[in-house]
Amino acid sequence: MTPKIAVDPVLVERYIMELARFGAVGESGVKRTVYSPEWVAATDQYARWCDEGGLQVRRDAVGNVWGRLDGSAPGGSIASGSHIDTQLPGGRYDGALGALAALIAIRTLKAQFGTPKRSLEAVAFCEEEGSRFPAANYWGSRAVTGRIAADEASTLRDYDGQSMEAVMRVVGLDPACIAQAVRHDIDTFVELHVEQGPVLEHAGLPVGIVTGITGLRHYLVEVTGEANHAGACPMDLRHDPMAGAAEMISGLLSTAENMGRPAVTTIGRMQVEPNYSAIIPHKVSFTIDARHPDPECLAELYSRHEQWLRVVADRRSLQLRWTVLAEHATCACDMDTVHLLEAVAREQGTACMLMHSGAGHDSQVMAHIAKMAMIFVQSRAGRSHTPEEFTSIEHAVMGINVLAAGMYRMAYL
Amino acid sequence: MTPKIAVDPVLVERYIMELARFGAVGESGVKRTVYSPEWVAATDQYARWCDEGGLQVRRDAVGNVWGRLDGSAPGGSIASGSHIDTQLPGGRYDGALGALAALIAIRTLKAQFGTPKRSLEAVAFCEEEGSRFPAANYWGSRAVTGRIAADEASTLRDYDGQSMEAVMRVVGLDPACIAQAVRHDIDTFVELHVEQGPVLEHAGLPVGIVTGITGLRHYLVEVTGEANHAGACPMDLRHDPMAGAAEMISGLLSTAENMGRPAVTTIGRMQVEPNYSAIIPHKVSFTIDARHPDPECLAELYSRHEQWLRVVADRRSLQLRWTVLAEHATCACDMDTVHLLEAVAREQGTACMLMHSGAGHDSQVMAHIAKMAMIFVQSRAGRSHTPEEFTSIEHAVMGINVLAAGMYRMAYL
């Protein structure tokens, strides 16, 4: 049995609300983009809290903040954390809760059990969202895992056209030193994060233990037919790409539905040319976002989608072209760590389920250098990337208790 | 038997090519918006040709150009014509061919047969397309039929924000006098126009006699669901308006297909919010353009469409809202005139078919004050509103011969 761990709900709530003041937008929104004054202030606060908790504070070459509690024995550390940047605006919980959870778990463990055998680390990563530099997702965790290309800091541009290296210098970071952020001494990385979906709420559970992170492809599909007059061209003589696109979309969505959870397919974006009500379109373009956490099912999903597109285009004599805009492989969690987290949740009487993550996270990048697992806590109505996102303190504390107990088992026993 | 009428193909081709120089864009495009310098020059040319053909030229209060050949007997005149303004750019034939056909037919009749019993008139209408003033369609024919509202010239704005009254004054027209354009002395109006669809080409026929002009409605349909994360929200928990819209669109198009010619339904415009590839949309809006020339079938088409929208929205628990953006009643041609035109076409050995018009025309406005009919000539590949629109001189001449013979039968016998 793991001893009882007493994470303080008052502290959890205070940290969440105080961190949310940096970049506050309206009642509950937060807009805190990497290397902005709000981000600098938030990382300063995070560093102060690490220091107050008795952790050694270090900022790495890209501005990730680390709080470390040295262990008495050698070996890689047990690390936890998440990102401190937000969407435009996001809410108080996405990212922030995981960064705080790590810090709170470690300070609680230190206060209760003193020095661990294995070193423990909390981290606040930067620019996971890509909300300032749209092509820089996972910037902080990519730096730590050596996945930033040599020219990236000079070529990446933010929405205002400023280069990454220029804005790094503004906050006192030297872009030439990025490679110094690389770590080779992390044994296990566990990220706590809000679910961002409705699965836990729907199942009536506070906590999920993640078994893997979804793989995905973004396709851009272009269906071309023949523009014509809406009144003068009979239905039977048309080559209408809208008719083809509608049939394609219905079939794509049904394919994912019929494959069953956790397959998901989304058509989120569409463009019609020329987009006039009285003209049969010349071209309809749309995106497909298709995801599955199992590599074989994912390949099957892609293949069924591509086949369906071809079937409809051929039958309707429409031109079809697609491009893969983005692709991420599936990422499996370390099952020993998953089972350990599940076991401590059960010990604590915290109802939980094994589930996958349908969204990407820093932990899938960290999986390149460490054993990786994740803990999800319930999101109200599955909302995220909006000021309305909400996770109750009760659920947050239950998740942090699982994290702390898991770290205890890994670092103290 | 109608005597042989000898419309000169060389004249037809010369007039088409010369008129197309006013506002020429590229090889075969024409951009000639109402009250522009190109439009002024084109109407001057039209007036000169009327004059050369021995017709009395008059410009009315909105700038329509009329060429008149007085008849020896009293009674309303037999008029023909079409519009001289174009799309942005359109081609050489849409509108222009009908205005020229009227002028050529009447000058040919005068040269061959002298003074008619009934007066004959050719007209070049202005701003049928609404290509300069988007809300001013049928401006010229509406003026002639008393269908311009008292405040319209002061409230209508062109794409540059100028008022109709201001640009009328620039070309020497007094907006206070618009009502003077009204005519009460036209007995029959016959418009020759390019088909703008592929029906005649598909049937291998040069000429169509129009039995009626389609009625239509433009709907704006708004389907609202719940935005969510493309990865984190399972298919079975979504309220995806894109899934609903795709099913609606497929069903709407099938409804028109299954009803058969001449029912047509077009989804030409779509807007997705927020339109990001990784977000299940919150809202999908699209237009429906539904047309049928028979009033009962049209009502049936509308009713089936509205019912289908409701069925899909209810089954998928999506919010549904629609607005009727525009509505035109069906307009029947005068069947005596239709049969007369059909008879003279057969006398001339010109293969033709009775058909409806799926597009709107000045003649549906003129139908308020006169017996109305239309002659269509074949459009290559059904194209119009583009520099690529094309009608052969052979087909144009066949159409003008039918028009001239029809006018002969109405005005000389």
Side-chain angles (χ1 to χ4, degrees):
Chain A
M1 278 290 286
T2 319
K4 186 167 164 51
I5 293 169
V7 163
D8 177 8
V10 175
L11 187 74
V12 172
E13 180 156 26
R14 181 163 72 83
Y15 278 11
I16 291 171
M17 301 311 281
E18 286 189 18
L19 194 64
R21 294 209 304 241
F22 302 102
V25 174
E27 184 103 357
S28 61
V30 184
K31 182 181 164 187
R32 192 164 58 221
T33 57
V34 68
Y35 307 146
S36 66
E38 308 82 65
W39 174 88
V40 169
T43 56
D44 287 348
Q45 179 63 73
Y46 191 81
R48 263 196 307 279
W49 284 332
C50 283
D51 185 56
E52 286 170 20
L55 313 187
Q56 303 157 45
V57 179
R58 186 175 66 86
R59 290 165 192 261
D60 70 16
V62 294
N64 299 319
V65 185
W66 297 83
R68 180 178 174 101
L69 179 62
D70 274 331
S72 56
S77 61
I78 311 300
S80 177
S82 190
H83 58 98
I84 204 164
D85 60 289
T86 70
Q87 286 288 338
L88 310 167
R92 297 166 175 152
Y93 307 91
D94 179 352
L97 184 61
L100 294 173
L103 153 64
I104 292 169
I106 298 175
R107 72 176 279 171
T108 305
L109 290 172
K110 178 173 194 288
Q112 217 171 323
F113 307 106
T115 301
K117 290 183 183 161
R118 307 286 286 264
S119 297
L120 288 170
E121 295 191 71
V123 61
F125 286 125
C126 58
E127 191 60 322
E128 187 261 3
E129 300 283 9
S131 53
R132 177 167 183 178
F133 290 88
N137 300 62
Y138 312 120
W139 181 248
S141 51
R142 286 201 287 125
V144 170
T145 56
R147 274 166 170 74
I148 293 182
D151 63 344
E152 244 186 295
S154 61
T155 57
L156 284 172
R157 288 284 180 283
D158 72 5
Y159 282 110
D160 293 332
Q162 297 186 84
S163 73
M164 179 64 92
E165 56 184 13
V167 301
M168 284 181 75
R169 284 201 191 93
V170 169
V171 297
L173 296 167
D174 179 357
C177 296
I178 289 177
Q180 294 176 13
V182 175
R183 297 285 299 269
H184 297 291
D185 55 349
I186 298 178
D187 178 82
T188 301
F189 181 79
V190 180
E191 180 172 9
L192 181 144
H193 203 281
V194 293
E195 183 202 339
Q196 303 183 265
V199 173
L200 288 173
E201 185 182 73
H202 206 254
L205 297 172
V207 167
I209 310 298
V210 175
T211 54
I213 299 177
T214 195
L216 71 87
R217 259 193 202 164
H218 281 185
Y219 292 84
L220 174 65
V221 181
E222 295 166 279
V223 187
T224 306
E226 233 175 76
N228 232 315
H229 192 289
C233 186
M235 298 306 284
D236 55 293
L237 298 182
R238 298 183 175 195
H239 294 284
D240 180 359
M242 179 63 88
E247 190 183 355
M248 287 171 185
I249 290 169
S250 289
L252 294 165
L253 296 175
S254 298
T255 298
E257 264 164 40
N258 295 338
M259 200 180 265
R261 288 197 194 183
V264 283
T265 293
T266 303
I267 315 300
R269 189 173 168 81
M270 182 180 260
Q271 197 182 352
V272 181
E273 298 171 39
N275 213 27
Y276 292 135
S277 51
I279 299 183
I280 302 160
H282 162 63
K283 183 169 162 185
V284 175
S285 310
F286 57 89
T287 54
I288 306 174
D289 173 311
R291 308 187 187 207
H292 202 293
D294 176 88
E296 277 181 35
C297 297
L298 187 61
E300 174 68 20
L301 185 65
Y302 296 161
S303 152
R304 288 198 208 171
H305 282 347
E306 293 175 7
Q307 196 181 343
W308 176 243
L309 295 176
R310 278 192 216 100
V311 164
V312 176
D314 283 357
R315 177 160 36 74
R316 294 182 173 272
S317 302
L318 295 164
Q319 285 174 54
L320 173 68
R321 189 167 167 265
W322 73 67
T323 325
V324 174
L325 298 179
E327 175 147 27
H328 291 288
T330 58
C331 177
C333 293
D334 175 65
M335 287 312 288
D336 289 342
T337 311
V338 168
H339 292 314
L340 183 148
L341 293 170
E342 193 188 10
V344 299
R346 296 207 193 289
E347 276 183 7
Q348 293 173 352
T350 294
C352 72
M353 67 189 283
L354 297 187
M355 65 188 295
H356 81 285
S357 170
H361 293 287
D362 283 313
S363 42
Q364 77 200 52
V365 182
M366 294 300 287
H368 290 290
I369 61 160
K371 288 177 277 183
M372 181 277 286
M374 292 191 78
I375 298 164
F376 274 176
V377 291
Q378 195 187 104
S379 293
R380 186 169 68 192
R383 304 294 302 281
S384 72
H385 290 190
T386 158
E388 285 117 66
E389 67 177 19
F390 180 76
T391 291
S392 71
I393 296 300
E394 187 196 353
H395 290 166
V397 168
M398 289 167 97
I400 300 172
N401 276 331
V402 172
L403 175 65
M407 292 181 107
Y408 176 87
R409 294 263 287 248
M410 290 186 270
Y412 284 84
L413 298 186
Chain B
M1 277 292 284
T2 319
K4 184 165 166 47
I5 293 168
V7 163
D8 178 9
V10 176
L11 187 74
V12 172
E13 180 157 24
R14 181 162 73 80
Y15 277 11
I16 291 170
M17 300 311 279
E18 286 191 16
L19 194 63
R21 294 210 302 241
F22 302 103
V25 174
E27 184 103 358
S28 61
V30 184
K31 182 182 163 185
R32 190 163 60 219
T33 57
V34 68
Y35 307 146
S36 66
E38 308 82 62
W39 174 90
V40 170
T43 57
D44 286 349
Q45 179 63 70
Y46 192 82
R48 265 196 305 280
W49 284 332
C50 284
D51 185 57
E52 285 170 21
L55 312 187
Q56 305 156 42
V57 179
R58 184 176 67 84
R59 290 166 192 260
D60 70 17
V62 294
N64 298 319
V65 185
W66 297 84
R68 181 178 173 101
L69 179 61
D70 274 331
S72 57
S77 61
I78 310 300
S80 177
S82 189
H83 59 98
I84 204 165
D85 61 289
T86 70
Q87 286 289 337
L88 309 168
R92 298 165 175 153
Y93 306 91
D94 179 353
L97 183 62
L100 294 173
L103 153 64
I104 292 168
I106 299 174
R107 70 175 280 171
T108 305
L109 291 172
K110 178 173 194 284
Q112 215 170 327
F113 308 106
T115 300
K117 290 182 183 162
R118 307 283 288 265
S119 298
L120 288 170
E121 295 192 72
V123 62
F125 285 124
C126 57
E127 190 60 323
E128 186 260 1
E129 299 284 9
S131 54
R132 178 168 183 178
F133 290 87
N137 300 61
Y138 313 122
W139 180 248
S141 51
R142 286 200 288 126
V144 169
T145 57
R147 273 168 172 71
I148 292 181
D151 62 343
E152 242 185 295
S154 62
T155 57
L156 284 172
R157 289 284 179 286
D158 71 6
Y159 282 110
D160 293 333
Q162 296 186 85
S163 73
M164 179 64 93
E165 57 185 14
V167 302
M168 285 182 76
R169 285 201 190 95
V170 169
V171 297
L173 296 168
D174 179 358
C177 296
I178 288 177
Q180 294 176 13
V182 174
R183 298 284 301 270
H184 298 291
D185 55 348
I186 299 177
D187 179 81
T188 301
F189 181 79
V190 181
E191 179 172 8
L192 181 144
H193 203 280
V194 293
E195 182 202 340
Q196 304 182 264
V199 173
L200 288 173
E201 186 182 72
H202 206 253
L205 297 171
V207 167
I209 311 297
V210 176
T211 55
I213 298 176
T214 194
L216 71 88
R217 258 193 203 163
H218 281 185
Y219 292 85
L220 174 65
V221 181
E222 295 165 278
V223 187
T224 306
E226 234 174 76
N228 233 314
H229 192 289
C233 187
M235 299 306 284
D236 56 294
L237 298 181
R238 298 183 176 196
H239 294 283
D240 179 0
M242 179 63 87
E247 190 183 356
M248 288 171 184
I249 290 169
S250 290
L252 294 165
L253 297 175
S254 297
T255 299
E257 265 166 40
N258 295 339
M259 200 180 264
R261 288 197 194 185
V264 283
T265 293
T266 303
I267 314 300
R269 188 172 170 81
M270 182 178 263
Q271 198 183 349
V272 180
E273 298 171 38
N275 214 28
Y276 292 134
S277 52
I279 299 183
I280 302 160
H282 162 64
K283 184 170 162 184
V284 175
S285 310
F286 58 89
T287 55
I288 305 175
D289 173 312
R291 308 187 187 208
H292 201 293
D294 176 87
E296 278 181 36
C297 296
L298 187 60
E300 174 69 19
L301 185 65
Y302 296 161
S303 152
R304 288 198 208 172
H305 282 347
E306 292 175 8
Q307 198 182 339
W308 175 245
L309 294 176
R310 277 192 217 98
V311 164
V312 176
D314 284 356
R315 177 159 36 74
R316 292 179 173 273
S317 301
L318 295 164
Q319 285 176 54
L320 173 68
R321 189 166 167 265
W322 73 66
T323 325
V324 175
L325 299 179
E327 174 145 29
H328 291 287
T330 58
C331 177
C333 292
D334 176 65
M335 287 311 289
D336 289 342
T337 312
V338 168
H339 293 314
L340 183 148
L341 293 170
E342 192 187 9
V344 299
R346 297 207 191 288
E347 277 183 11
Q348 294 174 351
T350 294
C352 72
M353 67 189 284
L354 297 187
M355 66 188 295
H356 81 285
S357 171
H361 294 287
D362 282 315
S363 44
Q364 77 199 53
V365 183
M366 294 300 286
H368 290 288
I369 61 160
K371 289 177 278 185
M372 180 278 286
M374 292 191 77
I375 298 164
F376 273 175
V377 291
Q378 193 187 105
S379 293
R380 186 170 66 192
R383 305 293 305 278
S384 72
H385 291 189
T386 157
E388 285 116 69
E389 67 177 21
F390 180 77
T391 291
S392 71
I393 295 302
E394 186 195 356
H395 290 167
V397 168
M398 290 166 97
I400 301 172
N401 275 333
V402 173
L403 174 66
M407 292 181 107
Y408 175 87
R409 293 264 286 253
M410 290 186 269
Y412 284 84
L413 298 187

